[in-house]
Every structure is written in structure tokens, then in C-alpha cells.
Amino acid sequence: MTEFIEALKMFFKADKYVEMSGIEIVEITDEKAVVAADVHERHFNANGCVQGGMLYTIADFAFAVLSNYLHPNTVTQNGQITYLRPAFTKRLTATAIETQRVGHCTVSEVIVRGEMGETLCVCHFNGFVKDVSKEEFVRKISEKK
Amino acid sequence: MTEFIEALKMFFKADKYVEMSGIEIVEITDEKAVVAADVHERHFNANGCVQGGMLYTIADFAFAVLSNYLHPNTVTQNGQITYLRPAFTKRLTATAIETQRVGHCTVSEVIVRGEMGETLCVCHFNGFVKDVSKEEFVRKISEKK
Amino acid sequence: MTEFIEALKMFFKADKYVEMSGIEIVEITDEKAVVAADVHERHFNANGCVQGGMLYTIADFAFAVLSNYLHPNTVTQNGQITYLRPAFTKRLTATAIETQRVGHCTVSEVIVRGEMGETLCVCHFNGFVKDVSKEEFVRKISEKK
Amino acid sequence: MTEFIEALKMFFKADKYVEMSGIEIVEITDEKAVVAADVHERHFNANGCVQGGMLYTIADFAFAVLSNYLHPNTVTQNGQITYLRPAFTKRLTATAIETQRVGHCTVSEVIVRGEMGETLCVCHFNGFVKDVSKEEFVRKISEKK
């Protein structure tokens, strides 16, 4: 399984928008995926707190990592984000947990937290599972390079 | 009104994440707000099309521009995005139109299109209207500088 | 086309929950579907206004009528409702308009209004289009009876 | 606390749409609220399975029970439902669990299951908490009668 996680991390290294946003994978397990980013001025909105698009992007990436780990290959169909507090924080952590997977459909919840563990946003994602085997997914990734 | 639009554009110049994402305001009228971005490699996901977070960010920004123009000051409470096609395109345009405003609540629809006018995503946003007058909003913006 | 509309109305007559809820089809055109219900005590929540589930049900039905008219056979994948006002009204009208249809995916907006035309809720639905021809859909409906 | 639960159950007895839909409260604890309904022909859609509006109604009611128990008085602002399977089942159970509560905002997840425990829908609700004390809520309820 470690080998697949390494292949997945390699695959997501090609995500340029995530790279520009400074988001990194922290943890991938069967239960959850955790991604994080240090907050810099480039993440700010006009009010000087973390921009709503950045908060969505880190949540969406946590979902992409989890769902492609659990069942490659998954594409996001629908994302929803509820903002609970202005994000004045130095670090963001997004944790994705799968709620349900039925057939081609997976539903996950992602919680984005600030440096003190305070919840900033609650997000829900629906993904379409293409049902590629992990072996096939790894092969496709290597061919891309 | 032109003066307020200028003040608003000045205000949103301070949005660093939008700036890094290369998104610009194209049009602000009583009916709609249009924002756009040329697509570069830095916007790509691991599959080489525009990343889902970038698509959300441009939609969210169109909503922020429209709702703060129509009724300053509005904060996003909830955003939802449905992806309809992989975004292989050289330019993105997001158009926000207000569906309803009742009391402190505003609901808008944003459509993100590619260079051929093809729809990539449909988004809906709920905002909380703080009911600041345009004059007061402009004054707050100038104080910030 | 009138023949298809008649077949569709006949089909939806079999919807028992809609019947119990007192919802009727008012209009079906290429642009919109309108359904309505007179409000009775059986529609009330514990606060004496129209229950949230009834408001969702009438909206969902407007979507079902429109999407199955435009492209039979469509099933709802996802529904979202935002409540804008407590629904103290004697009549409900729900109007569905399609926002986009791309491939197997259709997105519609439904607005639920009270007797004075005041907006009570804004709803969005995503449907999966199975792409059955109108002829085939009518044949399937007649076989059911 | 038992007294408050009894008052709450009494309050929700006045929900006529829930009564007509045959939904009953099964369990209220600090962790969750569970409501359920036996499925009859009156719950069917035109395809002979449980109608989407009924599935939303039972989910919304589970959320109303939980959120008004945890923090009276809560009103639903926004509900979202994802349908995972056609609901061919003889009994529905909806379980609400609170994901987060921050200030006036509460976010809950509700899962609707069929008689075999199979997941039919995943739902998310946002509520606005009015912050009435339990004592005051009980008093208001008694005054209503």
C-alpha cells in the first residue's frame, strides 16, 4: 500500500494550482487524508484573512487525495463549502473523511481548521468513481511522466 | 455610481489570492458582474486541465464583486459548485447574477465558461448582507489604505 | 408535443406523495415547469407555517416535471434548498427553469413563491439524464399501467 | 433533561406535515437524533419507490429535532440532499449528528437508511441558532397550547 501512496503523492505533485497555493499532503490512511498549508500574504483576501477560494482549494484537495486513494480514479462532481469564521490564522489543515460510497458515487466531508484547531469551514464533496484498479492507476500515472 | 465602482475595484486589488490566480474584473453593472482569467500552467491540476479550486475561486470572486456592489458589505456564507466538463480552455469567464435578495440574505448564480463560451461549472452562493451604505463602505476602504 | 405532455401528466399522477401533498401541475413549456398547491393545515410545521419538507417537495416536483419533459428520463442526484422567509401563505407556486444541460447532467433552479409572489425559497437540483427518447418513455409509462 | 425531551416531543407533535408523512421520533441524545417511518403506498413516487420529497422531509425532521434539542431555538437556513440509491424499502430511519456549531451557525449531517441499514441519502443542513434557553423554549411551547 505504501507504494501506491508514493505513486499518488507523485501524481499530485503535478497539480500546479495546489503547488502555487502552498498545500502539502500530510497524511493518507484508510480513514482519512490530511493536507495543510502555511498561510502567507498571498493567501489573503481584501480584508486580510485567508481568501474563500484558498479555503475551498485546500478542502477540495483533501477530498481529491482521499477519494483517489480509496478508489482510483475519482473526479469531483460537486463541492459545497460553509464558512463558519473569518480565517485569521497562520496555518490551515484540511481533513477529509468519507461519509459513504455507493456504486459510482462517493460522498466525503472535509473540515478546514486553523492553527489552534478551530473550525473554519465545513465542506462536502460528491465524486464520481471511475473504478480503475490501483495497478492501472499507477501505470497511467507513470505513462504520463 | 462610477465612483463607487472605482472604489470597489481598488478594494478588490488588495485580494492577493485573486491576484496570484490572475483573475481580473471585466464588468460591473446592476445586472451582473463578470470576471475573467487567462489560463496558464500554474492553473492546472494533475491531469493538465484547470484545477477545481481555481474554478471555484473565479466563481466566488464574481459573486463577491456583484454582491458587494449591489449591497455592501456582503460576506459569503455558503458556496456550491457543480463541475460539468473538464476545463480544457485558454480563458475562463465567470458571470454572476443575483437570483434573490431577501433581508440579510442574498442568493446568486455564477456560471463559469471557457473560451468558446462552453459552460464548465454552475455555482450558487449564499451571502450575508451587513447593510453598510455605499458611502460608509467607501470610507472604510479608504481608511484601510 | 401536447401528446407527450399528456403522457407525462398521466405518469406523474402515480406520484402518491405529491398527491397527498396536494401539488398539481400548472404549466409545462420548453422554458419552464410550474406546479402549485393550496396550503392547508396538513402542510404546517410546529410553528404554524408551511413545513420545510413540503417546500422542498414542491420544488423537487417542479424539477422532476421540467427535466423529464425536456429530456426523459431524468433522476434527481442532488437537491439544495435555501429558506429565505417563514412561509406564511395560502398558496405555493414552484417554477423550475433549466440553467444548463451538459451530457448526462442537467442543472435547474427552482423558485418557490407565496400567494403574493414573495420568494420563499431558492432551490437547485442536479439530475442525471438517462437519454430515453420521448417515444420510449411514453411506451414505458403505458406498460406500467 | 428528560423533561426537556418530553416538551420537545410535545412541541413536534404539532408538526402536521411530519404527522401526515408518518414520521416518528425514535431517540434523542446529546450525540444524535433518530427519527423513522414505515413506508406505505402514500410515500411512493411515480416509479413505486419512496419519493424524494419524503426522503428530504424525514432528514430535515431529524435535523430539526437534534438542533432544537442541542440549542433551542434553531431554524433551518439551508438543506442539501444527495440520493445514492432508489429507495425500495419498507422502513426509513434518519440519523442526525452535529458536525459543528460555531456562534449562531450549526452544521449537521443526516443519513437516511432503509430497512437493511443500506444508505439511501446523505444530507447536510445549516441552521441558524437563536439562542433561547431551554427554560424559555419550554415556556414558549406551553404558551402555544
Side-chain angles (χ1 to χ4, degrees):
Chain A
M1 206 50 86
T2 323
E3 202 192 342
F4 180 60
I5 289 181
E6 288 316 306
L8 207 62
K9 284 182 176 173
M10 187 66 75
F11 171 68
F12 281 118
K13 278 233 164 83
D15 192 315
K16 298 299 182 192
Y17 196 68
V18 156
E19 187 186 35
M20 182 174 73
S21 299
I23 307 167
E24 300 204 329
I25 297 174
V26 173
E27 192 184 349
I28 306 176
T29 72
D30 288 0
E31 279 72 39
K32 64 178 173 182
V34 183
V35 306
D38 287 325
V39 172
H40 298 288
E41 214 187 315
R42 69 176 192 272
H43 297 114
F44 287 176
N45 67 13
N47 288 312
C49 60
V50 181
Q51 218 261 0
M54 171 63 188
L55 293 166
Y56 177 88
T57 301
I58 195 170
D60 179 58
F61 187 55
F63 169 66
V65 170
L66 180 69
S67 59
N68 279 293
Y69 168 68
L70 293 179
H71 12 256
N73 186 349
T74 302
V75 294
T76 308
Q77 286 192 299
N78 198 273
Q80 194 210 18
I81 182 165
T82 297
Y83 299 97
L84 295 171
R85 283 190 179 89
F88 292 105
T89 185
K90 288 182 180 156
R91 190 171 165 80
L92 298 169
T93 304
T95 304
I97 291 175
E98 184 169 71
T99 306
Q100 281 292 324
R101 186 254 170 111
V102 176
H104 284 287
C105 194
T106 172
V107 181
S108 285
E109 181 174 276
V110 183
I111 302 205
V112 183
R113 293 188 178 84
E115 57 183 326
M116 311 297 286
E118 77 278 18
T119 301
L120 303 172
C121 324
V122 175
C123 312
H124 302 102
F125 292 92
N126 292 349
F128 182 83
V129 180
K130 290 188 180 175
D131 265 332
V132 173
S133 74
K134 296 198 172 184
E135 291 70 30
E136 202 178 325
F137 190 55
V138 171
R139 196 166 53 241
K140 277 175 59 180
I141 293 170
S142 358
E143 279 164 11
K144 261 196 191 162
K145 284 184 298 192
Chain B
M1 206 50 89
T2 323
E3 202 191 340
F4 180 61
I5 290 181
E6 289 315 307
L8 207 62
K9 285 182 176 172
M10 188 67 73
F11 170 68
F12 281 118
K13 279 233 163 83
D15 192 314
K16 298 299 183 192
Y17 196 68
V18 156
E19 187 187 33
M20 182 173 74
S21 299
I23 306 168
E24 302 205 326
I25 297 174
V26 173
E27 193 184 350
I28 306 178
T29 73
D30 288 0
E31 279 72 41
K32 63 179 173 183
V34 184
V35 307
D38 287 325
V39 172
H40 298 289
E41 215 188 316
R42 69 178 192 271
H43 297 115
F44 287 176
N45 66 13
N47 288 313
C49 59
V50 182
Q51 218 260 2
M54 170 64 188
L55 294 165
Y56 177 89
T57 301
I58 194 169
D60 178 58
F61 187 57
F63 170 66
V65 170
L66 180 69
S67 59
N68 280 292
Y69 168 69
L70 293 178
H71 11 256
N73 188 351
T74 302
V75 294
T76 308
Q77 287 191 298
N78 198 272
Q80 192 209 21
I81 182 164
T82 297
Y83 299 96
L84 294 172
R85 284 191 179 88
F88 291 105
T89 185
K90 286 181 182 157
R91 190 170 165 81
L92 297 170
T93 304
T95 304
I97 292 175
E98 185 170 68
T99 306
Q100 282 292 322
R101 186 252 170 113
V102 176
H104 284 287
C105 193
T106 173
V107 181
S108 285
E109 180 174 279
V110 183
I111 302 207
V112 183
R113 293 188 177 84
E115 59 183 324
M116 311 298 285
E118 77 278 18
T119 301
L120 303 173
C121 323
V122 175
C123 312
H124 302 100
F125 293 91
N126 292 350
F128 181 82
V129 180
K130 290 188 181 175
D131 265 331
V132 173
S133 73
K134 296 199 172 184
E135 292 69 31
E136 202 179 324
F137 191 55
V138 170
R139 199 166 50 241
K140 278 175 60 181
I141 293 170
S142 353
E143 280 164 9
K144 258 194 193 164
K145 283 185 297 190
Chain C
M1 206 53 88
T2 324
E3 201 192 341
F4 180 61
I5 289 181
E6 289 314 307
L8 207 60
K9 285 181 175 173
M10 187 66 75
F11 171 68
F12 281 117
K13 279 233 166 81
D15 192 314
K16 298 299 182 191
Y17 196 68
V18 157
E19 187 186 35
M20 182 174 73
S21 299
I23 307 168
E24 299 205 330
I25 298 175
V26 173
E27 193 184 349
I28 306 178
T29 72
D30 288 359
E31 280 71 41
K32 64 180 175 181
V34 183
V35 306
D38 287 325
V39 172
H40 298 289
E41 213 188 315
R42 69 177 192 272
H43 297 116
F44 286 177
N45 66 14
N47 288 311
C49 60
V50 182
Q51 218 261 0
M54 172 63 188
L55 293 166
Y56 177 89
T57 301
I58 195 171
D60 179 58
F61 186 56
F63 170 66
V65 170
L66 180 69
S67 59
N68 279 293
Y69 168 68
L70 293 179
H71 11 255
N73 187 349
T74 302
V75 293
T76 308
Q77 288 191 296
N78 199 272
Q80 192 209 17
I81 183 164
T82 297
Y83 299 96
L84 294 171
R85 282 190 179 87
F88 292 104
T89 185
K90 286 181 181 156
R91 189 171 166 80
L92 298 170
T93 304
T95 305
I97 291 176
E98 184 168 72
T99 306
Q100 282 291 325
R101 186 255 170 110
V102 176
H104 284 288
C105 193
T106 173
V107 181
S108 285
E109 180 174 278
V110 183
I111 302 206
V112 183
R113 293 188 177 84
E115 58 183 326
M116 312 297 285
E118 76 279 18
T119 302
L120 303 172
C121 325
V122 176
C123 313
H124 301 102
F125 293 92
N126 292 350
F128 182 83
V129 180
K130 290 189 180 174
D131 264 333
V132 173
S133 73
K134 296 198 171 185
E135 292 70 31
E136 203 179 324
F137 191 56
V138 171
R139 199 166 51 240
K140 278 175 60 180
I141 294 170
S142 356
E143 279 164 11
K144 260 194 191 164
K145 284 183 299 193
Chain D
M1 204 52 85
T2 322
E3 201 191 340
F4 180 61
I5 289 182
E6 288 315 307
L8 207 62
K9 284 182 176 172
M10 188 67 74
F11 171 67
F12 281 118
K13 278 233 164 82
D15 191 315
K16 298 299 183 192
Y17 196 68
V18 156
E19 187 187 34
M20 181 173 75
S21 298
I23 307 168
E24 301 204 328
I25 297 175
V26 173
E27 192 184 351
I28 306 178
T29 72
D30 288 359
E31 279 72 41
K32 63 179 174 181
V34 183
V35 307
D38 287 325
V39 173
H40 299 288
E41 214 187 315
R42 70 177 191 271
H43 297 116
F44 287 176
N45 67 13
N47 288 312
C49 58
V50 181
Q51 218 260 0
M54 171 62 187
L55 293 166
Y56 177 88
T57 300
I58 194 171
D60 179 58
F61 186 56
F63 169 66
V65 170
L66 180 69
S67 59
N68 279 292
Y69 168 69
L70 293 179
H71 11 256
N73 190 350
T74 302
V75 293
T76 307
Q77 287 192 299
N78 197 274
Q80 193 208 19
I81 182 164
T82 297
Y83 299 97
L84 294 171
R85 285 192 178 86
F88 292 104
T89 184
K90 286 180 181 157
R91 189 170 166 80
L92 298 170
T93 304
T95 305
I97 292 175
E98 185 169 69
T99 307
Q100 281 291 324
R101 187 255 169 112
V102 176
H104 284 287
C105 193
T106 172
V107 182
S108 285
E109 181 174 278
V110 183
I111 302 206
V112 183
R113 292 189 177 83
E115 58 184 325
M116 312 297 285
E118 75 280 17
T119 301
L120 303 172
C121 323
V122 176
C123 312
H124 302 101
F125 293 91
N126 292 349
F128 181 82
V129 180
K130 291 188 181 176
D131 265 332
V132 173
S133 73
K134 296 199 171 184
E135 292 69 30
E136 204 180 324
F137 191 57
V138 170
R139 199 165 52 240
K140 279 175 61 180
I141 292 171
S142 353
E143 280 163 10
K144 259 193 191 165
K145 283 184 298 191

